[in-house]
Amino acid sequence: MISGGMKNRPGKRLLVLITTGLVLWLGLAAGSARAAEVTVSSQEQFAFARELMQEGEYLLAIGELRRFIRFFPEDEDVPRAWYLIGRCRIALGQHQKAASAFSRVFRLDPDPETRQKTLLAVGDVLTKQDRSHDAVGYYKELLKRDLEPEARGRILYRLGWAELREGNWQQASTAFQQVPLKSQYSDTANWLARRSLEGSGLPYKDPVKAGIMASLIPGLGHAYVHRYKDAAMAFAVNALFALAAWESFEEGHEVLGGMLLFLELGWYTGNIYSGVNVTHKHNRRLRGDFLQNLKEQTDLRFGFNSRGGLALSLNLRF
């Protein structure tokens, strides 16, 4: 028995050595892993997200900003992070998500500069959503606040453009005129105040008149807005169906004549509706062309960013 125990002792020693070596190896591996960990500060994380924004990598920037918010929830830049997420959402066309991000900013009691930028950005969302009417009301409410001259100038400038999109030429001119002289928008606004009034002289067509003309002679409503091919088509279709219905009744085919007359009434009514509709489109195109021309001239005159047309009026520095 004693000799058997002595024979097993080398095996136990070997097992102890293997176990000890394994423990030491695991300890060294864990130490190496800890040594390899990279610690990123909140400032570095935030700066990296902003770099991605400047490079146009908005989805990646959103991810990094959300990571910043998750790992540094008490950092003073958290409100700014939500603001920048909102700007990224606007750039991606995700306006509803942008509005949600901006609402989070106000819950966090941001610094005055971030609050001001966020207030303006909410107006930008309304503009991007083609809700110019709502944007006008929103900017007017902002102007009731106690604002610095530069902030007031920015809001009035945006209000002017919102009024232009609504076709309120005089109100737009008034808003541009009220931009403070010390504002960076002053020279631009003075020029736009004069040019805005030219919108009231656009050669609009009267949709009611177009409808009356179309009811008298099919196609005349289209001719009123210089859509002569459409006018000829409307006249020909209505004339053919009316003639076919008349001949059917003359030949005693009352049922066929009734069907053709019913179809003709549909074509006739559609001709009136279409005449009114194309007149509205004509007026919208006139206004759109005028605004586009105004934006392009503004870019050339004042050196704005030509990529966005309204770059200075709609974009803020990050």
Side-chain angles (χ1 to χ4, degrees):
M1 295 296 293
I2 295 174
S3 61
M6 292 297 290
K7 290 179 180 179
N8 290 335
R9 190 170 298 172
K12 290 182 179 180
R13 289 177 179 176
L14 179 61
L15 180 61
V16 170
L17 289 174
I18 292 174
T19 304
T20 304
L22 182 61
V23 170
L24 290 173
W25 181 81
L26 290 174
L28 290 172
S32 299
R34 285 195 296 270
E37 289 180 357
V38 177
T39 302
V40 179
S41 67
S42 61
Q43 291 85 358
E44 291 172 331
Q45 178 69 24
F46 193 74
F48 178 57
R50 292 182 63 182
E51 287 177 10
L52 290 173
M53 287 187 69
Q54 293 170 359
E55 294 171 1
E57 299 289 349
Y58 299 114
L59 282 175
L60 293 176
I62 290 172
E64 293 302 325
L65 287 166
R66 294 188 71 93
R67 188 174 288 108
F68 168 82
I69 294 168
R70 179 177 178 82
F71 290 113
F72 307 101
E74 303 301 323
D75 195 277
E76 62 180 6
D77 279 332
V78 167
R80 289 181 63 201
W82 279 114
Y83 165 74
L84 293 179
I85 288 175
R87 297 304 307 185
C88 288
R89 295 295 188 189
I90 290 179
L92 292 170
Q94 301 171 350
H95 304 127
Q96 195 59 43
K97 290 185 177 180
S100 177
F102 293 141
S103 68
R104 287 176 175 264
V105 177
F106 297 119
R107 297 180 206 160
L108 297 170
D109 191 25
D111 60 271
E113 181 182 0
T114 302
R115 175 177 289 274
Q116 175 186 307
K117 287 182 177 181
T118 307
L119 287 171
L120 292 172
V122 171
D124 293 349
V125 170
L126 294 173
T127 300
K128 293 286 188 179
Q129 292 177 322
D130 292 327
R131 296 167 56 189
S132 297
H133 178 75
D134 294 333
V136 167
Y138 177 77
Y139 290 135
K140 287 182 177 178
E141 285 297 317
L142 288 184
L143 289 171
K144 295 178 182 179
R145 299 171 177 245
D146 185 19
L147 301 168
E148 296 292 330
E150 185 59 34
R152 180 169 294 275
R154 290 183 178 184
I155 295 171
L156 284 167
Y157 191 79
R158 284 166 165 76
L159 173 59
W161 275 108
E163 294 281 21
L164 283 177
R165 292 189 187 88
E166 285 293 290
N168 301 329
W169 314 115
Q170 182 59 58
Q171 292 90 327
S173 179
T174 300
F176 287 130
Q177 288 174 4
Q178 292 176 350
V179 173
L181 291 175
K182 294 183 179 180
S183 171
Q184 62 175 317
Y185 302 94
S186 179
D187 292 339
T188 314
N190 287 333
W191 184 78
L192 286 170
R194 298 190 300 271
R195 293 298 309 275
S196 297
L197 298 176
E198 296 177 11
S200 59
L202 293 175
Y204 287 134
K205 300 292 185 180
D206 184 2
V208 175
K209 185 177 180 180
I212 294 173
M213 294 173 68
S215 67
L216 295 174
I217 302 177
L220 200 56
H222 294 80
Y224 177 55
V225 291
H226 313 296
R227 300 185 62 153
Y228 300 113
K229 289 183 179 180
D230 293 336
M233 180 64 71
F235 180 81
V237 170
N238 279 272
L240 287 172
F241 271 86
L243 180 60
W246 178 76
E247 287 184 351
S248 295
F249 284 120
E250 282 292 311
E251 296 177 3
H253 304 299
E254 286 81 6
V255 176
L256 178 59
M259 293 176 60
L260 291 171
L261 182 60
F262 178 77
L263 292 173
E264 163 53 20
L265 287 174
W267 285 111
Y268 176 76
T269 305
N271 146 75
I272 297 173
Y273 173 80
S274 180
V276 173
N277 190 41
V278 296
T279 304
H280 281 298
K281 288 183 178 179
H282 171 82
N283 292 339
R284 286 196 296 269
R285 186 174 64 254
L286 276 178
R287 184 169 64 189
D289 290 345
F290 173 74
L291 292 177
Q292 184 61 35
N293 183 51
L294 202 60
K295 285 185 253 183
E296 290 174 355
Q297 290 186 39
T298 304
D299 290 346
L300 292 173
R301 183 180 175 88
F302 299 101
F304 293 170
N305 185 347
S306 60
R307 291 171 55 192
L310 285 179
L312 182 58
S313 65
L314 294 180
N315 294 336
L316 298 173
R317 293 181 180 177
F318 298 131

